[in-house]
Amino acid sequence: GGNMRYFGRANWGFSVIFLYPIISIIFNKEPFVYLLLSSIILVLALVAILNVKKSVTIEESKLIYDAHLFRLHIIHIELPTSDIRSIEFHLAGWFGRNAKVKGKYKRFHYHFINFKPLEFYNELEQFAIRNNIPYKKTKEYTTIEKMVPRS
């Protein structure tokens, strides 16, 4: 069938890591103006991060990753199979799912956490099989997969 697009939500964990430096700056300064200014920056940064819409399109032999901030298209990455070393399926939290797509370059990994609909992970597995990409699932992931219906 046609290429399906899957959507990921903003990641709170990521937001906290991103905001930590800002927060520490806030608490190092006494004056009220600093507090007010940094609070405003903090809120704006959070609003921005939580409004990043991520999507992945699975094509025959490539993955397309896009991110939008409000209407703004901020990221567009095309990953042909030749750029993918392997895919690992992990748990994210208690029942969430994470697909870690390892890029050709050692440090380049993509984490697709809690993408919807859930069949994204099944489709990604099919993509790996179809293109002879090595993939593995953790034991916990397999357990969740059996508990929660695929579609």
Side-chain angles (χ1 to χ4, degrees), residues 97 117-123 125-126 137 141 145-151:
R97 297 180 190 199
L118 261 186
E119 71 199 55
F120 166 72
Y121 298 94
N122 189 30
E123 282 300 313
E125 184 184 339
Q126 294 307 314
K137 301 175 181 183
Y141 183 91
E145 212 177 20
K146 287 178 192 138
M147 285 169 56
V148 185
R150 274 168 179 251
S151 50

Side-chain angles (χ1 to χ4, degrees), residues 13-149:
F14 173 76
S15 317
V16 174
I17 293 166
F18 178 81
L19 295 176
Y20 184 75
I22 303 175
I23 295 166
S24 54
I25 291 166
I26 296 172
F27 290 108
N28 287 334
K29 304 282 182 191
E30 297 305 324
F32 175 72
V33 181
Y34 276 114
L35 197 63
L36 189 65
L37 269 177
S38 40
S39 305
I40 292 168
I41 291 168
L42 195 69
V43 168
L44 289 177
L46 251 183
V47 166
I49 291 167
L50 293 174
N51 279 286
V52 173
K53 303 258 185 301
K54 299 179 279 190
S55 73
V56 175
T57 308
I58 299 178
E59 295 195 347
E60 197 58 38
S61 58
K62 70 176 170 189
L63 301 176
I64 300 171
Y65 177 71
D66 288 291
H68 289 81
L69 174 55
F70 302 105
R71 293 258 171 89
L72 204 66
H73 197 172
I74 51 175
I75 297 173
H76 177 85
I77 297 169
E78 300 200 2
L79 272 180
T81 49
S82 55
D83 284 356
I84 301 172
R85 272 194 305 152
S86 65
I87 300 175
E88 293 172 7
F89 295 93
H90 299 268
L91 275 198
W94 289 98
F95 294 105
R97 297 180 190 199
N98 173 18
K100 181 177 172 185
V101 175
K102 291 188 165 187
K104 257 256 174 69
Y105 314 101
K106 286 270 189 282
R107 290 190 207 92
F108 225 61
H109 303 325
Y110 300 88
H111 289 268
F112 300 129
I113 300 169
N114 293 330
F115 269 65
K116 301 276 180 269
L118 261 186
E119 71 199 55
F120 166 72
Y121 298 94
N122 189 30
E123 282 300 313
L124 199 55
E125 184 184 339
Q126 294 307 314
F127 172 83
I129 294 167
R130 187 166 66 235
N131 292 290
N132 299 314
I133 297 167
Y135 72 95
K136 66 176 183 217
K137 301 175 181 183
T138 62
K139 208 163 59 195
E140 298 79 10
Y141 183 91
T142 324
T143 311
I144 289 294
E145 212 177 20
K146 287 178 192 138
M147 285 169 56
V148 185

